[in-house]
Amino acid sequence: MRMSADDFWLTPLGLFLDLWACHKQFLGIEKAGRVLSIDDVVPL
């Protein structure tokens, strides 16, 4: 991900995990998550 060692160790964990997910999507390893609404989750 082209981060220096200092940048890596100073990055908050949540931000790093978000960047890692974006990196995997860019490489085609993983697909983006689906956005669900309440209507998709709760059946009528």
Side-chain angles (χ1 to χ4, degrees), residues 1-13 15-16 19:
M1 290 180 4
R2 298 185 185 196
M3 295 176 79
S4 68
D6 291 336
D7 288 340
F8 172 77
W9 289 113
L10 295 175
T11 303
L13 182 60
L15 175 61
F16 178 75
L19 291 172

